[in-house]
Amino acid sequence: MTAAAQQAEILNLRIRRHVRELFRLALPVIIARAGIMGMALVDTLMVGRFGAQELAYYGLGNMPVGVMMGVMVGLMLGVVVMTAQAVGRGEDAATGAIWRRALPYSLLVGGGMAGLCLLGERFLLATGQAPDLAAGGAGVMAIIAIGMPAAGLHLATSLYLEGMKRPIPGMVAMLIGNVLNVGLNWVLVWGHLGFPAMGAEGAAWATTILRWLGAIGLIAYVWWLPQRHAWGVRGEFGGWWRGSADQRKVGYAAGLSNGLEGSAFAALALFAGWLGAMSVGAYTIGLNLIALPFMCALGLATATSVRVGNAYGAGDRLETKVAGWTGLGVTSVILALIGVVFLLYPTWVASQFTADPALIALTAPLLALSAWLLVADGGQVVMAQALRGRSDTWVPTAMHFVSYYAIMMPLGWFLAFPMGQGVLGLFMGILIASFVAVSFLAARFWWLSRRDNRAVAG
């Protein structure tokens, strides 16, 4: 066998190993992320059947909370990155300190988000909502505020476990939460077993209760792990702020990225509202249909950041490069297969969500376009996480600002209104911005990998 053939065989083996590890890590994370959507879907269905007004309260209250949760996830991302790099260096015993430092930080972040939730009525009134709707949405936000510190604790612990290649406990916790959520909604939303019917606020209480139960359960799991001594789980919490500087640095950039993304998509929803109720319906259906495959991309992105972080922490630059490109390739193939369904059967897919012929006709072109959008949007989130896995934190954030604020929002508005493309123009703006983002982020990863090769050769 020639030297070139041997190198090709070694590369092939590396890719196969990365694909296996990617799926092993990603599948539980995908199920856990999909579980978040499942809980939201159950809440929407049960509150919607209780009453349209209560559904409006629930939807308005959760609109800003969704952006806050995205920011919180980003702020805590340093936990999984620093943990994965420590594992790559063979420093498992140092990872427990990463988790302990994350717990008080997550309480601080969750407390800040809770404070913002308590300003819900002022925010909703400032955005032009009717006083009654603002008051109802604010009531939902006030209850959700109680559970925001728990959401931070849950995130810190689940991300630590994912960094340790133990994603299954987080998945199990989310599956249990989904089952309990149905029962709690039945009791609290509709009023059973002696409880009053609370509508939207009942769903908010169910979410808050489950966040605290999930956080306590996961923390207890880590605290009593058989590997607790080998991982250094138990120890002092003093000096956590100073000691967490590196993981907070990763989180600041990722939190800003998620905030930019969430607020930009909220702005597009506002544009859709200017186009009329039918356009809002089409935009909502289209975005929700993209969201579930995007959960798959998020799971693969998390797994990619772990694989890249392991290799980068170990100082293996070839493994770092292969891990990043494997994550992008696997994600692109999976989302392309899903996109084929959207491309070939957009009308049928749209008809599963509405019986209104006019709404189906408006939604179908969005789904056909989404076949391409899925690949680009999934690719950009994987490449952003691959870069963060190798501690390149602020460039992805800067690219998200350019993509979402400098390109997507103005271009979406221009195509929708001056160009007369309506809601299709909004989706075209998302597509173009996503292609710009994935192209730049992939080029950045390629450039850094090439620089690493030169450094090794030198």
Side-chain angles (χ1 to χ4, degrees):
M1 183 180 291
T2 65
Q6 287 179 337
Q7 289 181 351
E9 180 64 22
I10 292 171
L11 180 60
N12 186 42
L13 291 173
R14 284 176 182 264
I15 293 173
R16 288 182 182 178
R17 187 179 71 255
H18 277 292
V19 170
R20 286 195 302 271
E21 284 293 306
L22 195 68
F23 277 110
R24 187 180 70 82
L25 290 169
L27 284 176
V29 179
I30 291 169
I31 293 171
R33 302 295 188 269
I36 296 173
M37 286 196 62
M39 291 181 70
L41 179 61
V42 167
D43 289 348
T44 301
L45 288 172
M46 297 186 78
V47 174
R49 290 182 178 274
F50 183 83
Q53 189 76 0
E54 292 293 321
L55 182 59
Y57 296 155
Y58 181 80
L60 277 175
N62 276 280
M63 179 186 66
V65 170
V67 178
M68 292 182 206
M69 287 299 300
V71 172
M72 187 184 294
V73 170
L75 289 173
M76 301 307 301
L77 191 66
V79 178
V80 69
V81 171
M82 293 295 105
T83 301
Q85 290 185 3
V87 171
R89 292 191 298 269
E91 299 174 358
D92 290 23
T95 63
I98 296 172
W99 175 65
R100 291 198 309 277
R101 291 193 292 260
L103 294 182
Y105 180 57
S106 68
L107 285 173
L108 179 65
V109 172
M113 297 300 176
L116 292 176
C117 284
L118 296 178
L119 301 174
E121 187 167 9
R122 294 182 184 180
F123 171 79
L124 293 173
L125 287 172
T127 59
Q129 304 300 326
D132 174 61
L133 289 175
V140 170
M141 292 180 69
I143 296 167
I144 289 175
I146 300 171
M148 292 302 270
L153 292 170
H154 189 284
L155 273 171
T157 308
S158 61
L159 288 171
Y160 170 67
L161 289 169
E162 288 168 12
M164 295 301 296
K165 302 181 183 179
R166 291 286 189 93
I168 291 179
M171 178 195 75
V172 172
M174 185 56 65
L175 292 176
I176 293 173
N178 271 265
V179 174
L180 294 177
N181 188 50
V182 175
L184 282 174
N185 275 343
W186 180 75
V187 171
L188 300 175
V189 174
W190 287 86
H192 291 96
L193 302 181
F195 285 86
M198 291 185 279
E201 292 190 359
W205 275 116
T207 299
T208 294
I209 292 168
L210 290 173
R211 280 178 175 162
W212 278 108
L213 289 176
I216 293 169
L218 277 180
I219 290 172
Y221 173 83
V222 172
W223 193 253
W224 278 286
L225 266 173
Q227 297 88 354
R228 59 185 179 273
H229 299 301
W231 292 2
V233 165
R234 298 187 180 184
E236 297 294 328
F237 286 85
W240 66 268
W241 179 261
R242 183 176 62 258
S244 65
D246 287 341
Q247 63 198 64
R248 283 187 285 111
K249 180 182 175 182
V250 175
Y252 294 151
L256 181 57
S257 283
N258 289 356
L260 291 171
E261 182 178 0
S263 59
F265 275 94
L268 289 193
L270 179 63
F271 295 165
W274 296 348
L275 291 166
M278 196 69 73
S279 293
V280 173
Y283 180 84
T284 302
I285 293 172
L287 214 59
N288 284 336
L289 280 168
I290 293 172
L292 191 56
F294 189 72
M295 292 298 106
C296 176
L298 279 178
L300 288 165
T302 300
T304 299
S305 71
V306 171
R307 297 297 299 158
V308 170
N310 289 160
Y312 191 77
D316 191 332
R317 297 303 181 251
L318 179 58
E319 281 285 287
T320 301
K321 178 172 67 174
V322 173
W325 292 125
T326 302
L328 178 63
V330 169
T331 304
S332 298
V333 169
I334 292 174
L335 295 182
L337 292 174
I338 298 171
V340 168
V341 178
F342 284 12
L343 186 64
L344 297 180
Y345 308 104
T347 302
W348 177 81
V349 175
S351 67
Q352 306 308 301
F353 288 81
T354 178
D356 189 321
L359 185 54
I360 291 173
L362 193 60
T363 304
L366 307 184
L367 301 183
L369 189 67
S370 295
W372 309 100
L373 172 56
L374 280 174
V375 177
D377 199 27
Q380 66 85 17
V381 74
V382 169
M383 280 289 91
Q385 295 294 73
L387 288 168
R388 291 181 180 122
R390 51 168 300 139
S391 296
D392 188 35
T393 55
W394 285 103
V395 170
T397 300
M399 194 59 230
H400 281 151
F401 176 80
V402 172
S403 299
Y404 293 122
Y405 271 75
I407 297 176
M408 187 179 78
M409 285 173 57
L411 184 59
W413 175 86
F414 178 76
L415 293 172
F417 296 100
M419 295 301 294
Q421 294 295 312
V423 69
L424 182 62
L426 299 179
F427 268 65
M428 291 171 66
I430 300 171
L431 173 65
I432 293 169
S434 297
F435 266 112
V436 170
V438 69
S439 299
F440 182 89
L441 293 170
R444 171 72 174 176
F445 190 82
W446 171 83
W447 182 81
L448 290 175
S449 299
R450 189 173 179 219
R451 188 185 67 179
D452 289 342
N453 293 339
R454 287 177 176 174
V456 171

